[in-house]
């Protein structure tokens, strides 16, 4: 069931930054560091490559705990009631007998408290835990828990592919909380139309980024996000013609055994329109511990280097095409060498698409 969180028009200029401990677009700090065949083999699936930027809105299942803080009580003393009880990365899913789905519900539940003794229900490492704690009385009929929380994430990324069932894959890596570095446990999400307004070029030691305008209203919704994984985000596109003006599929998705070092292209819209840019695949590591780092690549296209300096934030998910086949997507950039980065095999992304 689709949910619409924004009933009013909200215009946001999104300027992406990197935070210590993880972000949407993970940065490597050094080199070291529409037909569908009836076949279970995903290499036979015909895909339409993407390359278009989209606005992304994710809502967590519960309120994500970022940390705790001290509170001044009614008596003038400082207390930290949640210290050593809740942990960064917990999801608050209940307060006493009330179910908590988001930050707003938690704020309302706390505002309605009329006693100190409360039971928080949290989800931690896929287990549900009941935590008994004392809220701090700060004034007449006012209680606080001293917990910082967040319940959504929003930003910009690139669509990698669309299949015959209007299912899409994007980013090639998961969306993580900027404070905790934890993969967001998303309950639901939406894709929105966006337009790129500016490009901040990457240079040694400073990552670049795409700056876009996203209008979060019902008219601009493109589809729904069903899954946020280590290998990207996945869902269903409702307005295919709005995003994909060219719906001709490539040949079947390239098998990982076909990927080789050498010339290839990436497809993205940093110039305002979707174009192909030359790259060179410098290494293929089929045994890499992280699926989204199996391809190492280098941008060789002079036009792209002039526009962006290489790979910039927002390009995650840009399709990688070699020998006429969609073989993967761009996922990371080396902050000290912005013309270089990592990619994921398309087969690792297709594992998340329902057959």
């Amino acid at each position: 069931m689709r949910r619409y969180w924004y009933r009013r028009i909200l215009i946001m200029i999104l300027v992406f930054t990197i935070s210590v401990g993880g972000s949407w677009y993970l940065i490597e700090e050094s080199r070291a560091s529409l037909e569908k065949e009836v076949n279970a083999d995903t290499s036979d699936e015909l895909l339409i490559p993407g390359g278009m930027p989209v606005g992304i809105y994710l809502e967590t299942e519960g309120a994500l705990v970022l940390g705790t803080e001290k509170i001044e009580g009614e008596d003038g003393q400082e207390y930290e009631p949640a210290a050593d009880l809740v942990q960064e990365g917990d999801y608050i899913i209940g307060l006493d007998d009330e179910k908590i789905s988001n930050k707003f519900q938690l704020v309302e539940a706390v505002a309605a408290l009329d006693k100190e003794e409360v039971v928080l229900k949290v989800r931690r490492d896929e287990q549900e835990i009941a935590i008994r704690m004392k809220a701090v009385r700060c004034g007449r009929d006012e209680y606080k828990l001293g917990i910082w929380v967040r319940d959504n994430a929003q930003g910009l990324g690139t669509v990698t592919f669309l299949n015959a069932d209007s299912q899409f894959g994007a980013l090639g890596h998961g969306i993580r909380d900027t404070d905790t570095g934890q993969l967001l446990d998303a309950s639901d999400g939406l894709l929105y139309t966006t337009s790129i307004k500016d490009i901040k070029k990457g240079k040694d030691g400073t990552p670049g980024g795409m700056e876009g305008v996203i209008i979060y209203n019902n008219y601009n919704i493109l589809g729904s996000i069903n899954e946020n994984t280590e290998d990207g985000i996945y869902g269903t596109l409702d307005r295919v013609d709005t995003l994909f003006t060219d719906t001709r599929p490539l040949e079947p998705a390239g098998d990982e055994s076909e990927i080789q070092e050498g010339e290839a292209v990436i497809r993205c819209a940093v110039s305002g329109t979707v174009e192909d840019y030359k790259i060179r695949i410098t290494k293929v590591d089929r045994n890499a511990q992280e699926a989204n780092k199996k391809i190492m690549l280098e941008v060789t296209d002079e036009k792209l280097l002039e526009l962006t300096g290489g790979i910039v934030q927002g390009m995650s998910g840009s399709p990688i095409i070699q020998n006429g086949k969609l073989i993967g997507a761009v996922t990371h950039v080396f902050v000290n060498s912005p013309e270089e980065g990592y990619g994921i095999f398309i087969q690792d992304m297709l594992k998340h698409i329902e057959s």
Side-chain angles (χ1 to χ4, degrees):
M1 179 180 296
R2 182 173 298 112
R3 298 166 57 195
Y4 302 111
W5 298 282
Y6 284 81
R7 296 298 181 185
R8 59 188 176 86
I9 295 179
L10 172 62
I11 300 179
M12 300 186 66
I13 303 294
L14 297 173
V15 181
F16 296 94
T17 59
I18 298 302
S19 64
V20 176
S23 70
W24 258 34
Y25 306 102
L26 179 62
I27 300 298
E28 274 303 301
E29 294 188 353
S30 68
R31 184 185 301 272
S33 7
L34 283 157
E35 292 177 23
K36 188 173 181 182
E37 301 287 342
V38 182
N39 192 315
D41 183 357
T42 55
S43 64
D44 287 338
E45 183 163 18
L46 294 177
L47 302 174
I48 301 174
M52 299 76 71
V54 288
I56 298 169
Y57 181 91
L58 275 185
E59 185 163 287
T60 63
E61 188 174 352
L64 173 64
V65 174
L66 304 179
T68 64
E69 69 168 349
K70 293 181 179 180
I71 300 169
E72 183 176 335
E74 188 178 32
D75 59 3
Q77 300 296 312
E78 283 194 336
Y79 302 89
E80 193 169 359
D84 302 320
L85 294 176
V86 300
Q87 298 179 7
E88 179 184 279
D90 285 349
Y91 284 86
I92 298 175
I93 57 175
L95 178 60
D96 290 335
D97 295 326
E98 187 169 346
K99 181 180 178 180
I100 302 298
S101 299
N102 53 54
K103 181 175 65 178
F104 179 74
Q105 290 181 356
L106 178 61
V107 170
E108 283 195 326
V110 172
L113 285 176
D114 58 2
K115 57 186 176 63
E116 291 185 348
E117 298 286 343
V118 298
V119 177
L120 275 182
K121 296 183 180 69
V122 305
R123 186 173 64 255
R124 180 184 300 165
D125 299 328
E126 299 183 359
Q127 291 185 334
E128 293 189 7
I129 303 172
I131 298 175
R132 295 185 178 275
M133 62 175 290
K134 284 188 176 183
V136 176
R137 181 166 179 166
C138 301
R140 182 181 177 85
D141 299 326
E142 181 184 8
Y143 295 86
K144 293 183 180 180
L145 301 180
I147 304 173
W148 287 100
V149 297
R150 176 182 290 131
D151 65 356
N152 61 63
Q154 51 207 300
L156 180 150
T158 299
V159 170
T160 305
F161 66 83
L162 182 74
N163 72 4
D165 295 325
S166 297
Q167 296 172 310
F168 72 86
L171 295 186
H173 61 69
I175 298 175
R176 296 180 175 275
D177 180 73
T178 55
D179 292 300
T180 68
Q182 179 175 316
L183 185 73
L184 287 176
D185 187 359
S187 61
D188 213 343
L190 295 170
L191 284 190
Y192 289 84
T193 58
T194 187
S195 57
I196 303 303
K197 293 302 180 184
D198 195 16
I199 301 291
K200 179 183 177 182
K201 291 182 66 172
K203 55 185 179 180
D204 291 355
T206 304
M210 299 164 61
E211 298 179 7
V213 174
I214 305 171
I215 303 176
Y216 290 99
N217 64 11
N218 294 351
Y219 177 78
N220 289 300
I221 293 172
L222 293 170
S224 57
I225 301 168
N226 304 324
E227 194 176 10
N228 176 36
T229 77
E230 296 286 0
D231 302 329
I233 61 172
Y234 303 88
T236 302
L237 198 63
D238 297 325
R239 296 167 59 194
V240 174
D241 293 342
T242 300
L243 192 62
F244 285 82
T245 55
D246 183 357
T247 55
R248 293 172 298 176
L250 289 176
E251 296 180 22
D255 187 78
E256 64 180 65
S257 63
E258 300 177 272
I259 304 171
Q260 56 189 339
E261 296 178 6
E263 300 302 313
V265 298
I266 59 174
R267 186 166 291 181
C268 58
V270 293
S271 67
T273 58
V274 177
E275 297 184 52
D276 288 347
Y277 299 97
K278 291 182 291 184
I279 65 166
R280 183 167 59 89
I281 295 176
T282 57
K283 183 178 180 180
V284 180
D285 185 359
R286 295 178 173 83
N287 298 314
Q289 291 186 345
E290 298 175 66
N292 50 36
K293 293 183 180 179
K294 289 182 178 179
I295 298 174
M296 188 177 294
L297 59 95
E298 178 182 9
V299 174
T300 58
D301 195 289
E302 291 298 329
K303 182 178 179 181
L304 184 58
L305 290 171
E306 178 63 26
L307 282 169
T308 66
I311 300 167
V312 297
Q313 299 174 59
M315 284 173 61
S316 291
S318 297
I320 302 173
I321 299 168
Q322 188 177 57
N323 298 323
K325 292 186 178 182
L326 177 57
I327 62 167
V330 175
T331 57
H332 302 82
V333 59
F334 298 161
V335 72
N336 290 327
S337 183
E339 68 275 9
E340 297 180 274
Y342 284 120
I344 185 173
F345 292 165
I346 194 64
Q347 297 300 326
D348 285 320
M349 295 186 72
L350 289 174
K351 292 174 184 177
H352 300 278
I353 293 294
E354 298 176 3
S355 57

